[in-house]
Amino acid sequence: MPALSALLRWVLTALLVVACTVAQAQRLPQPTADVSADEATPASLATSAWTRADLDAWWSALRRHAVRGGDRLDLPAALLPPASDSAWRPVVLPDVRDRPGAARVTQEGFEMRWYRLHVAAGDEQPMALYIPRLVTLSAAVLMRTESGWTPLLDNQRSEREQWVQPLWLPLPGADQRGLDLVVALPVPAGSYHVVSRFWVGPRDVLEKRWAWRVRAQNGLPQAVSLTLLVLGAFALMLWLRRPEEAIYGLFALGAAAWMVRNLHYYVTLPSTPVAQDWFWWATHASMAWVMLTALLYALRFARGRRRGLEWLLTINVVLVSVISMPLWLRQWDMVVLQYAVTAVVAAVGTAWVTWLAWREDRPELRVMALALNLGVALGVHDLAVLAGWAWQEQFFLMPFATLAVMLSFLYAVQRRYVGAVEQVKAENSQLQEDLDEQVSVMQAQNAQLREVERQQALLLERQRIMADMHDGLGSALLSALVAMEQGSMSHEQCVEVLRECVDDLRLVIDSLEPVGHDLVSLLATMRYRLGKRLQTGGLKLDWDVQDLPTLPWLEPPDALHVLRLMQEALNNVLKHARASRVRMVTRHHGSYVEIRVEDDGAGFDLQTIQHGRGLKSQIKRAQRLGGKLRIDSTPGHGTRLSLRLPVERKT
């Protein structure tokens, strides 16, 4: 299968890139040419037996020095590095103490392990100290000065990340005698600890190595956890919508378990020993649940359910989680036992998935089997690192395995989705042929319907125009004709009537123009039409029109009502107001817009004036528009007509 071969090549290439990245991240800086690898940073070791009070005094002194400063650390000699050379002995790094046989180590006694280094003088470039891995209590780095020992580093604030955070410390310049450094590492008496090799070298070289390791050791697990959390939340929503699709629920459960596995990256450790025991139990036990959900997820893509195997895997994980609780069997090292049993169960389940993938020849199952085998291999590596059996200076690689498994799962979901789409297409192929015939019939019917609608719209628009011209223009012309025949209308009055008829005809024409529901454009057209007439009538127009929102309901019939309202208002100013200035104002007030026509004419008394047909007609037009018309006037202080129109009009 060409597609499967191409996919497998892509996955193998991606895994090779990941492996190269890991190798680069874990690679230690090389010593200079004149120093052998074993002698790159020789160290000597001295130990001191401390009590809890001694350790608290040590940490308090470091914190006090960080606040107050000073040229030396204020502590009694018993809590400082030994002054006698006989107390020091050469040590071969990495320094690893095997795990004890108990689940918890007593906290009554402690051991301070002093590691002494000497940085030779003569190198002018900035130097730094790089320690890839420390599994101890909070580290400190001291430097000998003429006044005594002064701290260069106090790692108490980062103690909870120290076991997964490489240490990098820029060093001060060395004088002719060089630098004498001591790395102070307290550990509980008799407890497991790991101290990797110390590397002192050029700052720019060590900083690159440190940055690589931080990204791979801290950045990748956090990125994978957060990515899985987002994908898990999405899968959970899908599963709640489609409960029959168990793969989404398993993916969400696995993402939640992996987030619990990496809680130490995001939360502060509990303060009490009991709470810490349960915290670490949850983070360690969750790894078994990540493995279980991954296997159950993969088995869902096989042709048949293996309920017996699924129940066997689930029961084993539950037993391991219960037995490893910090309630019993304290004489055993439950962490190593827990991961060892998890590795065995994962190997058995992965072997079964691999056999099914080989037998059923399913691309998605083969990709997941490949990713699960990678996870088992990297899990064995992490178990050896955790137990201190091998690779003590390397970091945990399960985040890389989780990334590969996550990608394989996403590929499987994508394959299932594409398969479902293809199946739907196949089922719809026959329906499509029937639909094509129905569509052709409906298109012909729709064309006929559109033509009928167009003709009806033209008829309605023609009727509206005829009604407007009959009621407005026709009525005015007929009245003028009768008056002229009877001789009751002067020449000037006839000209005025004809001018009003022309204005009315222009309004009808303007209302037919597309204005895009823009009231400001409509008013601008009216200003252009009536500007000369206002100027001839001795009126100066003040144009205070601001931008207004579009009115979705403003169609040609509505536009004509607005224009006639404004025309009537301006005609009243010309005929009756005896004004010299008229002001057109627009404002936007949220849910409605306002148009005002204000003049400085004689005004009138609203209480005594009789409402004629013109005012009633204006009020009716405003009501048809869904708005309100208001007139304010005072004798001697002009008149103001206000038209308020809604932005959104109820149909």
Side-chain angles (χ1 to χ4, degrees):
M1 298 176 65
L4 176 60
S5 301
L7 176 65
L8 292 178
R9 285 196 299 270
W10 178 84
V11 172
L12 290 175
T13 302
L15 295 179
L16 181 60
V17 172
V18 170
C20 294
T21 303
V22 174
Q24 178 70 11
Q26 303 218 64
R27 177 170 161 246
L28 294 174
Q30 298 300 313
T32 56
D34 58 344
V35 181
S36 66
D38 293 335
E39 298 176 351
T41 49
S44 302
L45 171 66
T47 59
S48 303
W50 281 12
T51 63
R52 166 57 73 175
D54 295 333
L55 185 61
D56 291 341
W58 163 259
W59 284 336
S60 298
L62 290 176
R63 292 193 295 268
R64 195 164 51 247
H65 186 276
V67 175
R68 300 178 182 176
D71 55 357
R72 66 184 182 87
L73 192 61
D74 185 15
L75 277 172
L79 299 183
L80 292 173
S84 173
D85 290 338
S86 61
W88 299 88
R89 58 181 176 83
V91 63
V92 178
L93 298 177
D95 182 14
V96 181
R97 177 178 291 166
D98 295 337
R99 285 185 171 272
R104 287 193 292 179
V105 179
T106 178
Q107 299 293 311
E108 295 178 356
F110 295 88
E111 179 184 10
M112 173 60 80
R113 302 181 69 81
W114 312 96
Y115 295 86
R116 186 173 64 179
L117 309 171
H118 180 73
V119 181
D123 198 343
E124 297 181 356
Q125 60 181 330
M127 305 291 284
L129 170 65
Y130 171 58
I131 305 177
R133 187 165 181 248
L134 290 175
V135 184
T136 64
L137 300 179
S138 63
V141 179
L142 309 181
M143 180 181 69
R144 183 189 291 275
T145 64
E146 294 181 356
S147 303
W149 292 100
T150 184
L152 298 180
L153 171 70
D154 176 16
N155 209 37
Q156 292 182 64
R157 292 186 177 181
S158 304
E159 179 181 359
R160 77 179 182 94
E161 299 96 354
Q162 181 174 282
W163 66 286
V164 291
Q165 180 72 40
L167 189 146
W168 181 75
L169 173 66
L171 297 176
D175 56 16
Q176 296 180 353
R177 294 173 299 178
L179 294 177
D180 288 324
L181 304 177
V182 166
V183 180
L185 301 174
V187 296
S191 71
Y192 159 78
H193 66 263
V194 175
V195 180
S196 68
R197 285 178 288 178
F198 301 155
W199 297 86
V200 176
R203 184 181 302 178
D204 54 348
V205 175
L206 291 182
E207 186 173 9
K208 293 178 182 178
R209 303 298 182 192
W210 170 78
W212 265 106
R213 183 154 181 144
V214 167
R215 294 190 192 102
Q217 187 170 340
N218 282 36
L220 180 67
Q222 295 178 10
V224 171
S225 298
L226 294 177
T227 303
L228 267 179
L229 184 63
V230 174
L231 293 176
F234 179 70
L236 179 61
M237 290 187 291
L238 290 178
W239 180 68
L240 293 176
R241 188 70 180 269
R242 299 176 60 94
E244 67 277 6
E245 295 286 348
I247 58 172
Y248 299 121
L250 290 171
F251 192 97
L253 180 60
W258 182 252
M259 192 66 188
V260 174
R261 173 68 184 87
N262 294 279
L263 275 179
H264 50 273
Y265 288 108
Y266 307 103
V267 301
T268 303
L269 296 181
S271 57
T272 63
V274 175
Q276 287 188 19
D277 287 342
W278 284 101
F279 177 86
W280 288 117
W281 169 82
T283 57
H284 294 316
S286 59
M287 190 66 237
W289 290 96
V290 173
M291 177 273 302
L292 175 64
T293 54
L295 292 174
L296 295 180
Y297 185 97
L299 289 172
R300 293 283 176 162
F301 285 84
R303 286 195 174 91
R305 291 286 302 275
R306 274 71 180 176
R307 298 185 183 275
L309 178 62
E310 293 178 3
W311 277 106
L312 180 62
L313 294 174
T314 304
I315 291 172
N316 276 277
V317 170
V318 172
L319 287 177
V320 171
S321 301
V322 173
I323 293 174
S324 61
M325 287 182 177
L327 297 175
W328 38 68
L329 301 178
R330 296 179 181 272
Q331 67 275 17
W332 292 356
D333 188 353
M334 296 307 300
V335 175
V336 176
L337 177 63
Q338 186 179 24
Y339 279 98
V341 175
T342 300
V344 172
V345 175
V348 172
T350 301
W352 187 268
V353 172
T354 304
W355 180 75
L356 290 176
W358 180 267
R359 189 186 70 173
E360 298 182 2
D361 192 21
R362 309 192 71 176
E364 60 270 22
L365 200 57
R366 287 193 172 187
V367 172
M368 286 189 289
L370 180 64
L372 290 172
N373 278 282
L374 175 66
V376 171
L378 296 186
V380 172
H381 168 275
D382 288 0
L383 177 60
V385 174
L386 177 69
W389 299 334
W391 307 302
Q392 294 91 350
E393 293 186 329
Q394 296 187 10
F395 54 82
F396 300 111
L397 300 181
M398 278 307 295
F400 295 91
T402 305
L403 180 61
V405 172
M406 178 185 68
L407 292 176
S408 71
F409 286 2
L410 294 177
Y411 168 75
V413 172
Q414 180 264 345
R415 286 273 304 180
R416 171 170 286 195
Y417 173 77
V418 171
V421 171
E422 291 177 352
Q423 182 180 1
V424 171
K425 287 182 179 179
E427 294 174 351
N428 290 340
S429 59
Q430 183 61 39
L431 293 175
Q432 187 63 41
E433 295 179 2
D434 298 335
L435 285 175
D436 290 340
E437 183 178 355
Q438 295 294 328
V439 166
S440 61
V441 174
M442 293 182 64
Q443 286 177 346
Q445 294 176 350
N446 288 336
Q448 296 176 359
L449 181 61
R450 285 195 298 270
E451 180 62 23
V452 171
E453 290 178 348
R454 188 179 71 84
Q455 294 295 336
Q456 185 178 7
L458 291 175
L459 178 61
L460 292 176
E461 188 66 16
R462 188 180 300 113
Q463 291 176 349
R464 183 185 69 82
I465 295 174
M466 292 177 62
D468 287 338
M469 295 183 68
H470 179 271
D471 296 340
L473 183 62
S475 177
L477 289 174
L478 183 60
S479 299
L481 178 61
V482 172
M484 290 292 294
E485 290 177 346
Q486 296 176 353
S488 60
M489 180 179 288
S490 65
H491 175 75
E492 290 77 8
Q493 291 174 333
C494 181
V495 171
E496 180 65 23
V497 170
L498 292 176
R499 183 180 291 112
E500 291 178 357
C501 290
V502 171
D503 291 340
D504 192 71
L505 180 60
R506 287 173 176 174
L507 288 181
V508 174
I509 295 174
D510 290 341
S511 68
L512 297 176
E513 293 293 332
V515 296
H517 310 289
D518 188 358
L519 188 59
V520 175
S521 299
L522 189 66
L523 295 177
T525 303
M526 185 193 69
R527 176 190 182 187
Y528 171 75
R529 296 290 192 189
L530 301 180
K532 291 183 178 179
R533 184 178 176 190
L534 295 177
Q535 186 176 5
T536 303
L539 277 177
K540 182 177 181 182
L541 176 63
D542 294 334
W543 190 256
D544 185 9
V545 174
Q546 298 182 359
D547 289 339
L548 299 176
T550 58
L551 305 182
W553 52 266
L554 188 62
E555 299 295 341
D558 305 307
L560 182 59
H561 285 309
V562 174
L563 291 175
R564 281 185 168 161
L565 280 170
M566 295 300 104
Q567 181 193 30
E568 183 71 17
L570 293 175
N571 284 338
N572 289 336
V573 175
L574 282 170
K575 294 178 179 180
H576 310 297
R578 300 194 301 278
S580 61
R581 305 177 73 92
V582 63
R583 182 166 174 252
M584 180 73 72
V585 182
T586 62
R587 293 292 185 267
H588 180 208
H589 299 286
S591 61
Y592 67 91
V593 297
E594 182 183 17
I595 309 173
R596 294 200 306 269
V597 178
E598 303 173 350
D599 65 71
D600 60 352
F604 56 88
D605 188 356
L606 291 173
Q607 302 296 328
T608 59
I609 191 172
Q610 294 183 354
H611 290 189
R613 295 180 58 187
L615 180 58
K616 293 180 180 179
S617 175
Q618 286 180 307
I619 294 175
K620 288 182 179 179
R621 289 185 187 276
Q623 291 174 347
R624 290 175 186 173
L625 293 171
K628 296 180 180 179
L629 184 70
R630 179 175 177 178
I631 299 177
D632 295 315
S633 182
T634 303
H637 294 84
T639 304
R640 182 175 69 176
L641 179 141
S642 172
L643 174 62
R644 295 185 178 183
L645 300 175
V647 177
E648 298 288 342
R649 189 174 71 181
K650 297 181 180 180
T651 58

